[in-house]
Amino acid sequence: MSEPPSAAGSDVMLEIRGLQKHFGGLYALSGLDMVVRRGEIVSVIGPNGAGKSTLFNVITGIYEPDAGDIVYQGLSVVGLRPFQLVKLGVARTFQNVRLFPNMTILENAMVGQHCRSRGGVFGSIIRTPGVRTEEARIRQRAEEALSFFGKRLSGYRLEQPAFSLSYANRRRLEMARAMATDPQVLLLDEPTAGMNPRETLELRDHIVRMRDELGLTVVVIEHDMRVVKGVSDRVIACDYGQKIAEGTYEEVANDERVIEAYLGTKAAG
Amino acid sequence: MARAQLSLLERLPWRRIILVVLGVVVIAVVGIGAARTLALTPAEGGYSADAWEDFIVQGAAQGGIFAMIALGYTLVYGILRMINFAHGEVFMAGAFGSFFFADAFVKSGFLNSSPVLAVGILMLVSAAVSVGVAVLLERLAYRPLRNAPRLVPLITAIGASLFLANAFRGFFGPQPYGYPKPGVLAGNVTVLGVTLQRTQLLVLAVAVISMIVLQWFISTTRTGRSMRAVAQDREIASLMGINVDRVIVTTFAIGGLLAGIAGVLFALTFEQVQFNMGFKPGIAAFTAAVLGGIGSIGGAALGGFVIGLLQAIGPPLILTGYGIPSVFSLRDAFVFLVLVLVLVFKPGGLLGTGEAEKV
Amino acid sequence: MEARGWARTGALAGIVTIFLALVGLIGEFTDVYLIGDEITFAGLMLVLPAVVAGMVAAAPRIEAGVRRELRVGEAAVAAAVAAAAAGGVFAVAVLLTDLIGVERIRTVFIKISPQLMDFLTFGRSTVGGAVIIVLVSTAAGVAGGLLRVAPPSIRKPVGTALIVTAMFGFLQRVIPIMFDQLVLERDWLYSPIYDGLTWVGALVVATVSAGVSVLYARFGGQVRESLSGGPRREGSAISPLWLIFGGLAALALLAAPLLLGSVVSEVLGSVMVFALLGIGLNIVVGYAGLLDLGYVFFFALGAYSLALLTGATLNAYGIPPEPVISGSLNFYVAIPIVMLIAAVAGVLVGAPVLRLRGDYLALVTLGLGEMVTVLIASPWLVPLVGGPSGMRGITDAAIGGISFRDPQNFYYLALAFVAIAAFVSWRLAASRIGRAWTAMREDEQTADAMGISTTRFKLLAFAIGGAIGSLGGALFAVKIGSLTPASFQVLISIQVLGIVILGGMGSIPGVLVGALVLVGLPGLLREFEEYRLLAYGAAVVAVMILRPQGLIPNVRRSRELQDEERLQDEWVKTVKEGETPGEVGTVTGVAP
C-alpha cells in the first residue's frame, strides 16, 4: 500500500477532546479541545510552557494522555504507538530538529517512506523484482519530497551526511522527511525557530504550498507572528494547557486574554 | 475512500499480554514447586525445619556480603550512571591482597593469638588494595570516557574486568589458595535461638555495621552531601563549588572499601581465594543493586539480602518439588534467572527511581 | 612537557614494565627469539615501555597556544629523561627484589624466578645489571623519541620497517610453513636453531618494507587517484580500488589452507567460525545497536541442537548413550531447522526484554547466556545433553565421501557459510531493513516517530543474528566432533563482542580482520595462550578510549570529507550563471 486511507466525506481530520497530561505536579495539558478540518492550516500559539509541544507529543503517541480523547478521521487513536500514527497519516517535526545525523540526506528522507513499503527479509536478501521496484519508488518519493525545497537538498547533497547541513537546511530536511511519509496531517513544531527573516518568509510560503499543492492539513506551532498571520486559516491560542482563544488571526491577536497571557498585565482602566 | 483503521492484530497491547502471560507462568512454576517441596518429608527428599533454618542463615550471611558489594555498584551508578562491571574484580583484588598477609599471620601464629587484631589488619589491607584498584580504574579507564555515550564505558568496564582478573591470574597463578581461618571463628554459636556458624555471625555483624556507618556518612557528612549532589546533577554541583572529580574518586574509594571488607568476609567463609572469584558474586551483587533499585543505597542493602536469601532458599524450595536432582548446582542459574526476571518486570527495582525504559 | 612531566611519564612506563614482569610476559619468553639469538620477545617487552615513554615525551608541545614539534636536541633530552626514569624505576624494582630475596618474592608473585633475574641483569651482578637496564632503556627511549620527531620521510619507512619485521618475528610459526609448502628455501630468513628471524632475514624484511613505504609515499596518491576514477558517480558504491583489494583478499582466503598446511588450517577454521559469529553479532550490535552480552546462548543452542538432531550420543557415565530427544537427520537438512529453532528462541527470549535500555539489555542478555551455560552442565539436563562430559559422535557433514572434519576441508565449509552470511548481512544492510536499523540505532524515539516499529525490528535483528550464531555453533560442533560445556562459557560472548568492536561496529571486513587478530593470532602463537585474555581486556579498554569506531570502521561512521569537497566543487560548476544555489525556483525534472 502506498497511500493511507482517508475519511469518507467527513470534513474533520483531527479532533481533540478534553485532553489532560501531567508530569508529577506539573499540568502540561489541562482540558484542551481542538478541531482541525481537512485542508486547513491551523496555528497553535501561546507563551512558552503553555503545553504546545506536549500536545504534539500526546497526539503522536509519544506520551499517553491522562484523560481525554484524540480522534483522527473518526478513529480514536489514544494508546497507539507513534509508528502506528505515522501509518495512519499523521507526521510531525520536532522543536529541536531530530535528524539521523550520520545518515545521508537522501537516506533520512527515505526513512520517511518506510511505513509505506513492505520489503521483507527474504525479498531484501535476494532482491526480488518487487523489492527493487519498491526501492526505486522509495528513492523517487524521497527525492520528490526533498525537491519541494528547491535545489538545496538535491544533487550531490543527497549523499552527504545530515550532520553537515546548515541549520536552516536541517529544518527543511526534517520537514521533507515528514512529508515523505505521505501524510494527511502534518504537525510542525516551531519550524522557523532560529531562521533568519528571509528563510522565515520563504518557509511561510512553503507551508502554504504544502496545503495548496500537496493537499496537506497542517497544524503549526509558531512564535513568529508574521508566519502565523501569513499561513493560518485559524489560530488557536493556548496557555497553561488550555485553549484560551480561537478564531482568525485578527480576532485572536486582539483577544484580551491572549494579550494578557503574552504580556502578563491587564490594560489599565 | 475508506476510513482510517488498523488491523486488530496491530491494536493488541502485545507487550502487556506477554508480560502477563510470563508473570502467570513464573508464579505458577514457583507456587507449584514450593507446594510440592513442602509436602515432602525429609525422607522423601524434602527438608527439615533445621535444614530450612540453615538455608535462611546461610542466605542472610551471603546476602550481607552481596549487599556490601552491591553498595559499590549502586554508588558508582548513582554518580556516573554507569555500571562498573569490574567491581567484582575490585572485590577479588582485596581478598587476594589480604591473603598473603593472612598466610603470613597463620604461619607465625599471630592469626590465632590475636584474632581480632589480625582480622582487623586483614580487612584494612584488603580495603586498601581494593580502594587502590578502584581508584586506578576510575582514573585510567573511566575518567577519559566521562562524556561518552553510555555503552562505551560499559564495554570498557568489561574489558577492564577481563584484564584485572587475568592480571591476577598472571601474578599469582590460576589455582585457588586456601585462606586460613582463625580458630576462634570455627564452630557454631546460638543467638536468639538461632544456630549459626561463627563466621556467618561475623559476616552479618560487619555487614550491618558497615551499612549503618555508610548511611550515616552519606546523610550527615559534607562529603556525603557532595556525593548526593553530584548524583543528582553533576553540572550544577560543579557550579556550586563542589570538586566533582574528587567526589567521584571518593565514591569509587568507598565502594572499594566496602568491597575489600566483603572480600575478607567471603574468603573467611569459603576459605579460599582464586583469580576468578569476583565474577559470580559480582553478578549476584549487581542483581541485588538492580533489584533494590539502582542508585538507591537502601535498595542495594535490601537487594543484597533478598538475593542472598533467594539463592539459598530458592533452589531447594522450588526445584526439589519437580524432582530435579542436585538443586544446588543450579544455584547460579537461579540468580541469573532472578536478574532476568527483575529486569523484565521491574527494572526500576523495589525502592528505586524507576528510570529504566528508554527515554 | 617539562622535566617533571617527562619523569612522570617515565615512571609510569617503569611501572608498566614491572607489571609486565610480574604477570609473566617477560619471564616466560626469555627463550622466544625474534631475531638471531640476541633479540628475544622478553627483551622487547623489557624496552618497549621505555620506547613508548620516549615517544610520548617527545610529543609536540603547546607554547602560547601554538603546537610546536620539538627540535632534535630537545626531543633527545626529553626522551632520555623519560626513558631513564622508566629504566630507573624498573632497576629499583630489580634491586629491591634482590634485596628481599627472589625466593621470598616468589611465594607471592609466582612469575619472579632466578632465571628471570638472571635475564634482567644480563648475567652480571645485580647492580651492574641495574645500570645496564637504565642505559639500555635510555638508549631505546631516545631512539623512540628521535623517531617521533623525525620528518615523515624518515619516520614512516623506519616505523613500517620495525613493525613489519616484528610481525615477521612473531609469525615464526606461520611464515616458514608457507615457504615450506611452496618449496622455497627459508633458512636464510628464519633460523633453524632459534626459530626467529636471522639477522640477514631481518635486514631484508626491514629494507623491503621500508622501500615499499617510500614508494607508497611517493606514488601511492597517484595510484589511488587513477584507480578511484575521479568523482564518485551517483549510485556507484564500489571503486576499482576496493575491487582489487577485495579480489586479493578473496584469493588469499581461498588459497590459505593450501599454502599454510594442516595445522594452520585448523586455526583458520576456528577463525572462520568466529568470523561467522561476528557477522551474526554484528547485526545485533552493529546494525541494530543492541548490546548483547549473551551471544553464547545462540552458539550453544546451535551446537547442541545440531548434535541432537543428527544423532550424537551422550558421554556421561552410567546412563544410556541415547539422549532423550534424538534425531538422525543429515547435517544439511538439520541446519535450517537449527537456525529456525534459534530464531524462534531469539524472538521468545527477546520479546519481553528488548524494550530495555542499553546497559540493562546488556545485563539481561548476560544473565540469559550464563543460565544456558549453567544448564548445559547441570546434572538435571544430563539425559539430554550429557552434563559436564558432554556429547560425542557429531556428524562430520560428509558429502560424497569428503569428510569435513579434516581441517582443510572444514575451512572451506566454514568459509562458504561465512560468505553466505556476509552476503545476507550486506544485502540487509543496504535494504529498507538496514535503513530502519540505522535509524533506530541513531535515535530510537525519532525512528519510532517516523513510522518504524522499533520492537519488530529489534526482534528481527535478534532473530537473524541468533540464527547466524546458531549456525556458528553447529559448525563448531562439526569441527570438534564432540561437545562439552567448557566450550560454552561467557568468555565466548565477550570474545565475539571484542571481534565486532575491534573491527569497527557495523563493518563486515572489519569483523573478518577482528577474527583474524583476536582468534587467529593467539591460535598461531601458542605460547601466548595464557595471556590472550589479558591482551583482550587491555585491547578493548584501549580501543574504547582511543578509537571507539574500531580499526576498520564502517564507512557510514567515518565519512571522508575530502571526496565531499571535490564533489561539491564539481556541483558548483554546474550551477548556471546568475542563479544563486538553492533559490526557490522551478524544480527540475520531478513533479511534486
Short mmCIF file of all heavy atoms in Angstrom, two decimals, chain B residues 77 83 140 150 155-156 159 163 166-167 169-172 283 286 294 324 329-330 336 343-344 357-358, chain C residues 22-23 108 110-111 355-357 360 363-364 366 370 378-380 444 501 530 533-534 537 544-545:
data_model
loop_
_atom_site.label_atom_id
_atom_site.label_comp_id
_atom_site.label_asym_id
_atom_site.label_seq_id
_atom_site.Cartn_x
_atom_site.Cartn_y
_atom_site.Cartn_z
N TYR B 77 26.89 3.91 40.15
CA TYR B 77 25.83 4.16 39.19
C TYR B 77 25.13 5.47 39.49
O TYR B 77 24.79 6.24 38.60
CB TYR B 77 24.81 3.03 39.20
CG TYR B 77 23.81 3.16 38.08
CD1 TYR B 77 24.06 2.61 36.84
CD2 TYR B 77 22.63 3.88 38.26
CE1 TYR B 77 23.16 2.76 35.80
CE2 TYR B 77 21.73 4.02 37.23
CZ TYR B 77 22.01 3.46 36.00
OH TYR B 77 21.13 3.61 34.98
N ILE B 83 27.52 1.23 34.90
CA ILE B 83 27.67 0.01 35.69
C ILE B 83 29.14 -0.38 35.68
O ILE B 83 29.70 -0.68 34.63
CB ILE B 83 26.82 -1.11 35.08
CG1 ILE B 83 25.36 -0.71 35.15
CG2 ILE B 83 27.05 -2.41 35.81
CD1 ILE B 83 24.47 -1.59 34.33
N LEU B 140 42.19 5.66 35.12
CA LEU B 140 42.72 5.25 33.83
C LEU B 140 41.66 4.87 32.81
O LEU B 140 41.79 5.18 31.64
CB LEU B 140 43.68 4.06 34.01
CG LEU B 140 44.95 4.35 34.80
CD1 LEU B 140 45.74 3.07 34.96
CD2 LEU B 140 45.79 5.40 34.07
N ARG B 150 26.61 6.02 26.60
CA ARG B 150 26.52 5.08 27.71
C ARG B 150 27.19 3.74 27.51
O ARG B 150 27.73 3.15 28.43
CB ARG B 150 25.06 4.81 28.04
CG ARG B 150 24.45 5.86 28.86
CD ARG B 150 24.14 5.40 30.27
NE ARG B 150 23.26 6.38 30.85
CZ ARG B 150 21.95 6.33 30.72
NH1 ARG B 150 21.41 5.33 30.11
NH2 ARG B 150 21.20 7.28 31.21
N ILE B 155 31.35 -1.24 27.94
CA ILE B 155 32.25 -2.15 27.23
C ILE B 155 33.66 -2.03 27.81
O ILE B 155 34.36 -3.03 27.99
CB ILE B 155 32.24 -1.83 25.73
CG1 ILE B 155 30.87 -2.09 25.15
CG2 ILE B 155 33.29 -2.65 25.00
CD1 ILE B 155 30.73 -1.70 23.71
N THR B 156 34.06 -0.81 28.11
CA THR B 156 35.38 -0.61 28.73
C THR B 156 35.46 -1.35 30.05
O THR B 156 36.47 -1.97 30.36
CB THR B 156 35.62 0.88 28.97
OG1 THR B 156 35.33 1.60 27.79
CG2 THR B 156 37.04 1.13 29.40
N GLY B 159 36.09 -4.92 29.49
CA GLY B 159 37.50 -5.14 29.17
C GLY B 159 38.37 -5.04 30.40
O GLY B 159 39.27 -5.86 30.62
N PHE B 163 40.75 -7.81 32.06
CA PHE B 163 42.16 -7.51 32.25
C PHE B 163 42.59 -7.76 33.68
O PHE B 163 43.60 -8.41 33.94
CB PHE B 163 42.41 -6.04 31.86
CG PHE B 163 43.82 -5.60 32.03
CD1 PHE B 163 44.77 -5.91 31.08
CD2 PHE B 163 44.21 -4.86 33.13
CE1 PHE B 163 46.08 -5.51 31.22
CE2 PHE B 163 45.52 -4.46 33.29
CZ PHE B 163 46.46 -4.78 32.33
N ASN B 166 42.67 -11.46 34.73
CA ASN B 166 43.79 -12.19 34.14
C ASN B 166 45.15 -11.66 34.59
O ASN B 166 46.14 -12.39 34.58
CB ASN B 166 43.68 -12.17 32.62
CG ASN B 166 42.67 -13.20 32.14
OD1 ASN B 166 42.96 -14.37 32.05
ND2 ASN B 166 41.46 -12.73 31.89
N ALA B 167 45.19 -10.41 34.99
CA ALA B 167 46.44 -9.90 35.55
C ALA B 167 46.73 -10.63 36.86
O ALA B 167 47.87 -11.08 37.07
CB ALA B 167 46.32 -8.40 35.79
N ARG B 169 45.65 -13.50 37.62
CA ARG B 169 45.99 -14.86 37.24
C ARG B 169 47.47 -14.94 36.88
O ARG B 169 48.15 -15.89 37.25
CB ARG B 169 45.15 -15.27 36.05
CG ARG B 169 45.34 -16.68 35.58
CD ARG B 169 44.34 -16.92 34.45
NE ARG B 169 44.28 -18.32 34.10
CZ ARG B 169 44.95 -18.86 33.09
NH1 ARG B 169 45.75 -18.11 32.38
NH2 ARG B 169 44.83 -20.14 32.83
N GLY B 170 47.92 -13.93 36.17
CA GLY B 170 49.34 -13.89 35.79
C GLY B 170 50.23 -13.74 37.02
O GLY B 170 51.24 -14.44 37.15
N PHE B 171 49.83 -12.84 37.91
CA PHE B 171 50.65 -12.62 39.10
C PHE B 171 50.75 -13.87 39.96
O PHE B 171 51.82 -14.28 40.37
CB PHE B 171 50.04 -11.53 39.99
CG PHE B 171 50.05 -10.16 39.41
CD1 PHE B 171 49.18 -9.21 39.90
CD2 PHE B 171 50.90 -9.80 38.40
CE1 PHE B 171 49.18 -7.92 39.40
CE2 PHE B 171 50.90 -8.52 37.88
CZ PHE B 171 50.04 -7.58 38.39
N PHE B 172 49.58 -14.41 40.28
CA PHE B 172 49.53 -15.40 41.35
C PHE B 172 49.19 -16.81 40.88
O PHE B 172 49.19 -17.72 41.68
CB PHE B 172 48.50 -14.97 42.40
CG PHE B 172 48.71 -13.57 42.90
CD1 PHE B 172 47.70 -12.63 42.80
CD2 PHE B 172 49.93 -13.19 43.43
CE1 PHE B 172 47.88 -11.34 43.25
CE2 PHE B 172 50.12 -11.89 43.88
CZ PHE B 172 49.10 -10.96 43.78
N ILE B 283 28.11 -10.57 39.77
CA ILE B 283 26.81 -10.60 39.10
C ILE B 283 25.68 -10.63 40.12
O ILE B 283 24.67 -9.94 39.98
CB ILE B 283 26.70 -11.84 38.20
CG1 ILE B 283 27.78 -11.84 37.14
CG2 ILE B 283 25.33 -11.92 37.60
CD1 ILE B 283 27.32 -11.49 35.79
N PHE B 286 25.36 -7.27 41.57
CA PHE B 286 24.76 -6.34 40.63
C PHE B 286 23.26 -6.58 40.55
O PHE B 286 22.46 -5.64 40.51
CB PHE B 286 25.40 -6.48 39.25
CG PHE B 286 24.64 -5.72 38.24
CD1 PHE B 286 24.74 -4.36 38.17
CD2 PHE B 286 23.74 -6.36 37.41
CE1 PHE B 286 24.00 -3.64 37.28
CE2 PHE B 286 22.98 -5.64 36.51
CZ PHE B 286 23.11 -4.28 36.45
N ILE B 294 18.54 0.54 41.38
CA ILE B 294 19.92 1.00 41.23
C ILE B 294 20.00 2.50 41.48
O ILE B 294 19.19 3.28 41.03
CB ILE B 294 20.45 0.64 39.83
CG1 ILE B 294 21.96 0.82 39.79
CG2 ILE B 294 19.83 1.49 38.76
CD1 ILE B 294 22.70 -0.44 39.64
N ILE B 324 14.00 -32.41 40.44
CA ILE B 324 15.26 -32.09 39.77
C ILE B 324 16.42 -32.47 40.68
O ILE B 324 16.44 -32.07 41.84
CB ILE B 324 15.33 -30.60 39.44
CG1 ILE B 324 14.22 -30.26 38.45
CG2 ILE B 324 16.67 -30.22 38.86
CD1 ILE B 324 14.11 -28.79 38.17
N SER B 329 23.36 -27.26 42.38
CA SER B 329 24.22 -26.97 41.23
C SER B 329 23.59 -25.93 40.32
O SER B 329 24.26 -25.35 39.49
CB SER B 329 24.48 -28.26 40.44
OG SER B 329 23.27 -28.67 39.82
N LEU B 330 22.29 -25.73 40.49
CA LEU B 330 21.61 -24.75 39.65
C LEU B 330 21.48 -23.40 40.34
O LEU B 330 20.78 -22.52 39.86
CB LEU B 330 20.21 -25.26 39.28
CG LEU B 330 20.21 -26.48 38.37
CD1 LEU B 330 18.81 -27.02 38.19
CD2 LEU B 330 20.79 -26.13 37.02
N PHE B 336 20.85 -15.86 38.06
CA PHE B 336 20.75 -15.21 36.76
C PHE B 336 19.30 -15.07 36.33
O PHE B 336 18.89 -14.06 35.76
CB PHE B 336 21.52 -16.01 35.70
CG PHE B 336 22.99 -16.10 35.97
CD1 PHE B 336 23.65 -17.31 35.92
CD2 PHE B 336 23.71 -14.97 36.28
CE1 PHE B 336 25.00 -17.39 36.18
CE2 PHE B 336 25.07 -15.05 36.54
CZ PHE B 336 25.71 -16.26 36.49
N LEU B 343 14.71 -7.52 35.74
CA LEU B 343 14.87 -6.52 34.69
C LEU B 343 13.67 -6.51 33.74
O LEU B 343 13.35 -5.49 33.17
CB LEU B 343 16.16 -6.77 33.91
CG LEU B 343 17.42 -6.37 34.66
CD1 LEU B 343 18.65 -6.78 33.89
CD2 LEU B 343 17.44 -4.88 34.90
N VAL B 344 13.03 -7.67 33.60
CA VAL B 344 11.88 -7.71 32.70
C VAL B 344 10.67 -7.07 33.35
O VAL B 344 9.95 -6.29 32.74
CB VAL B 344 11.57 -9.17 32.30
CG1 VAL B 344 10.21 -9.25 31.63
CG2 VAL B 344 12.63 -9.70 31.36
N GLU B 357 13.09 2.42 31.38
CA GLU B 357 12.67 2.40 29.99
C GLU B 357 13.51 3.38 29.20
O GLU B 357 13.99 4.36 29.74
CB GLU B 357 11.20 2.83 29.90
CG GLU B 357 10.26 1.87 30.56
CD GLU B 357 9.70 0.86 29.58
OE1 GLU B 357 10.05 0.91 28.40
OE2 GLU B 357 8.93 0.03 30.03
N LYS B 358 13.66 3.15 27.95
CA LYS B 358 14.47 4.05 27.13
C LYS B 358 13.79 5.41 27.09
O LYS B 358 12.64 5.53 26.73
CB LYS B 358 14.57 3.47 25.72
CG LYS B 358 15.57 4.14 24.87
CD LYS B 358 16.65 3.17 24.50
CE LYS B 358 17.75 3.86 23.71
NZ LYS B 358 18.69 2.94 23.14
N LEU C 22 55.80 -8.95 36.43
CA LEU C 22 55.04 -9.68 37.44
C LEU C 22 54.03 -10.63 36.81
O LEU C 22 53.75 -11.71 37.33
CB LEU C 22 54.29 -8.70 38.34
CG LEU C 22 55.15 -7.88 39.29
CD1 LEU C 22 54.27 -6.92 40.08
CD2 LEU C 22 55.91 -8.79 40.24
N VAL C 23 53.48 -10.21 35.70
CA VAL C 23 52.42 -11.04 35.11
C VAL C 23 52.99 -12.16 34.26
O VAL C 23 52.29 -13.07 33.84
CB VAL C 23 51.48 -10.13 34.28
CG1 VAL C 23 51.82 -10.19 32.81
CG2 VAL C 23 50.03 -10.48 34.52
N VAL C 108 54.83 -14.94 46.63
CA VAL C 108 53.66 -14.12 46.29
C VAL C 108 53.49 -14.05 44.78
O VAL C 108 52.50 -14.50 44.22
CB VAL C 108 53.81 -12.70 46.87
CG1 VAL C 108 52.64 -11.85 46.44
CG2 VAL C 108 53.90 -12.77 48.38
N ILE C 110 54.36 -15.44 41.55
CA ILE C 110 54.97 -16.71 41.13
C ILE C 110 55.81 -16.60 39.87
O ILE C 110 56.52 -17.53 39.53
CB ILE C 110 53.89 -17.77 40.92
CG1 ILE C 110 52.97 -17.35 39.76
CG2 ILE C 110 53.07 -17.98 42.17
CD1 ILE C 110 52.01 -18.45 39.37
N LYS C 111 55.72 -15.51 39.16
CA LYS C 111 56.45 -15.44 37.90
C LYS C 111 57.88 -14.93 38.07
O LYS C 111 58.63 -14.90 37.11
CB LYS C 111 55.70 -14.52 36.91
CG LYS C 111 54.32 -15.02 36.57
CD LYS C 111 54.39 -16.19 35.62
CE LYS C 111 53.09 -16.94 35.46
NZ LYS C 111 51.92 -16.18 35.14
N ARG C 355 12.80 -4.13 25.11
CA ARG C 355 12.42 -2.74 25.32
C ARG C 355 13.35 -2.06 26.32
O ARG C 355 13.29 -0.87 26.56
CB ARG C 355 11.01 -2.70 25.86
CG ARG C 355 10.95 -3.32 27.23
CD ARG C 355 9.54 -3.51 27.73
NE ARG C 355 9.55 -4.25 28.98
CZ ARG C 355 9.11 -3.74 30.12
NH1 ARG C 355 8.64 -2.54 30.17
NH2 ARG C 355 9.16 -4.47 31.22
N LEU C 356 14.24 -2.86 26.94
CA LEU C 356 15.10 -2.29 27.97
C LEU C 356 16.19 -1.43 27.37
O LEU C 356 16.58 -1.61 26.23
CB LEU C 356 15.76 -3.41 28.78
CG LEU C 356 14.82 -4.17 29.70
CD1 LEU C 356 15.52 -5.36 30.28
CD2 LEU C 356 14.34 -3.24 30.80
N ARG C 357 16.66 -0.54 28.17
CA ARG C 357 17.69 0.38 27.74
C ARG C 357 19.03 -0.32 27.66
O ARG C 357 19.26 -1.30 28.35
CB ARG C 357 17.77 1.53 28.75
CG ARG C 357 18.62 2.69 28.30
CD ARG C 357 18.79 3.66 29.44
NE ARG C 357 19.30 3.00 30.61
CZ ARG C 357 19.01 3.36 31.85
NH1 ARG C 357 18.18 4.35 32.05
NH2 ARG C 357 19.51 2.72 32.87
N TYR C 360 21.01 -2.12 30.57
CA TYR C 360 20.17 -3.15 31.17
C TYR C 360 19.99 -4.31 30.23
O TYR C 360 20.02 -5.48 30.64
CB TYR C 360 18.80 -2.56 31.53
CG TYR C 360 18.80 -1.78 32.81
CD1 TYR C 360 19.99 -1.48 33.45
CD2 TYR C 360 17.63 -1.35 33.39
CE1 TYR C 360 20.02 -0.76 34.63
CE2 TYR C 360 17.64 -0.64 34.57
CZ TYR C 360 18.83 -0.34 35.18
OH TYR C 360 18.84 0.38 36.33
N LEU C 363 22.92 -6.54 30.40
CA LEU C 363 22.99 -7.44 31.54
C LEU C 363 21.96 -8.54 31.50
O LEU C 363 22.24 -9.65 31.93
CB LEU C 363 22.90 -6.62 32.81
CG LEU C 363 24.23 -5.88 32.87
CD1 LEU C 363 24.06 -4.50 33.42
CD2 LEU C 363 25.22 -6.66 33.66
N VAL C 364 20.80 -8.25 30.97
CA VAL C 364 19.83 -9.33 30.83
C VAL C 364 20.36 -10.40 29.90
O VAL C 364 20.28 -11.60 30.20
CB VAL C 364 18.49 -8.79 30.29
CG1 VAL C 364 17.60 -9.93 29.84
CG2 VAL C 364 17.79 -7.98 31.33
N LEU C 366 23.39 -11.03 29.29
CA LEU C 366 24.46 -11.72 30.01
C LEU C 366 23.86 -12.80 30.90
O LEU C 366 24.33 -13.94 30.93
CB LEU C 366 25.25 -10.73 30.86
CG LEU C 366 26.40 -11.33 31.65
CD1 LEU C 366 27.52 -11.71 30.72
CD2 LEU C 366 26.91 -10.36 32.70
N GLU C 370 24.49 -16.82 30.68
CA GLU C 370 25.01 -17.56 31.83
C GLU C 370 24.09 -18.70 32.23
O GLU C 370 24.54 -19.79 32.59
CB GLU C 370 25.17 -16.62 33.02
CG GLU C 370 26.44 -15.82 32.97
CD GLU C 370 27.65 -16.71 33.00
OE1 GLU C 370 27.96 -17.27 34.05
OE2 GLU C 370 28.27 -16.88 31.94
N SER C 378 24.49 -28.87 33.96
CA SER C 378 23.81 -29.31 35.19
C SER C 378 23.48 -30.79 35.15
O SER C 378 23.23 -31.36 34.09
CB SER C 378 22.53 -28.51 35.37
OG SER C 378 21.60 -28.89 34.36
N PRO C 379 23.43 -31.40 36.32
CA PRO C 379 23.03 -32.81 36.41
C PRO C 379 21.61 -33.02 35.90
O PRO C 379 21.28 -34.08 35.36
CB PRO C 379 23.12 -33.11 37.90
CG PRO C 379 24.06 -32.11 38.45
CD PRO C 379 23.89 -30.88 37.61
N TRP C 380 20.81 -32.00 36.07
CA TRP C 380 19.41 -32.11 35.68
C TRP C 380 19.28 -32.46 34.20
O TRP C 380 18.50 -33.32 33.82
CB TRP C 380 18.72 -30.77 35.96
CG TRP C 380 17.28 -30.71 35.57
CD1 TRP C 380 16.37 -31.73 35.61
CD2 TRP C 380 16.61 -29.57 35.08
NE1 TRP C 380 15.15 -31.28 35.19
CE2 TRP C 380 15.26 -29.96 34.85
CE3 TRP C 380 16.98 -28.26 34.83
CZ2 TRP C 380 14.31 -29.07 34.37
CZ3 TRP C 380 16.03 -27.39 34.36
CH2 TRP C 380 14.71 -27.79 34.12
N GLU C 444 16.33 6.22 18.60
CA GLU C 444 15.24 5.25 18.61
C GLU C 444 13.88 5.93 18.66
O GLU C 444 12.96 5.54 17.95
CB GLU C 444 15.39 4.32 19.80
CG GLU C 444 14.43 3.16 19.75
CD GLU C 444 14.58 2.25 20.94
OE1 GLU C 444 15.71 2.08 21.41
OE2 GLU C 444 13.56 1.72 21.38
N ILE C 501 33.76 -5.20 18.01
CA ILE C 501 34.20 -3.86 18.39
C ILE C 501 35.51 -3.52 17.71
O ILE C 501 35.67 -2.45 17.13
CB ILE C 501 34.39 -3.77 19.91
CG1 ILE C 501 33.04 -3.86 20.59
CG2 ILE C 501 35.09 -2.49 20.29
CD1 ILE C 501 33.14 -3.90 22.08
N GLU C 530 48.21 -18.15 27.34
CA GLU C 530 47.88 -17.78 28.71
C GLU C 530 47.57 -16.29 28.83
O GLU C 530 46.82 -15.88 29.70
CB GLU C 530 49.07 -18.12 29.61
CG GLU C 530 48.73 -18.22 31.07
CD GLU C 530 49.98 -18.35 31.91
OE1 GLU C 530 50.92 -19.01 31.43
OE2 GLU C 530 50.02 -17.79 33.02
N LEU C 533 43.64 -13.48 27.10
CA LEU C 533 42.55 -12.70 27.68
C LEU C 533 43.05 -11.40 28.28
O LEU C 533 42.37 -10.39 28.25
CB LEU C 533 41.83 -13.53 28.74
CG LEU C 533 41.14 -14.76 28.16
CD1 LEU C 533 40.63 -15.64 29.27
CD2 LEU C 533 40.01 -14.34 27.25
N LEU C 534 44.25 -11.44 28.81
CA LEU C 534 44.84 -10.22 29.35
C LEU C 534 44.95 -9.19 28.23
O LEU C 534 44.57 -8.03 28.38
CB LEU C 534 46.22 -10.53 29.93
CG LEU C 534 46.90 -9.38 30.67
CD1 LEU C 534 46.17 -9.09 31.95
CD2 LEU C 534 48.35 -9.73 30.95
N GLY C 537 41.48 -7.89 27.16
CA GLY C 537 40.94 -6.86 28.06
C GLY C 537 41.62 -5.53 27.82
O GLY C 537 40.97 -4.51 27.66
N MET C 544 38.39 1.41 23.21
CA MET C 544 37.27 2.24 23.64
C MET C 544 37.73 3.64 23.98
O MET C 544 37.05 4.63 23.73
CB MET C 544 36.59 1.62 24.86
CG MET C 544 35.65 0.50 24.51
SD MET C 544 34.23 1.09 23.58
CE MET C 544 34.43 0.19 22.08
N ILE C 545 38.93 3.73 24.57
CA ILE C 545 39.38 5.06 24.96
C ILE C 545 39.95 5.82 23.78
O ILE C 545 39.74 7.03 23.64
CB ILE C 545 40.45 4.95 26.08
CG1 ILE C 545 39.80 4.40 27.35
CG2 ILE C 545 41.09 6.28 26.36
CD1 ILE C 545 40.72 4.31 28.51
#
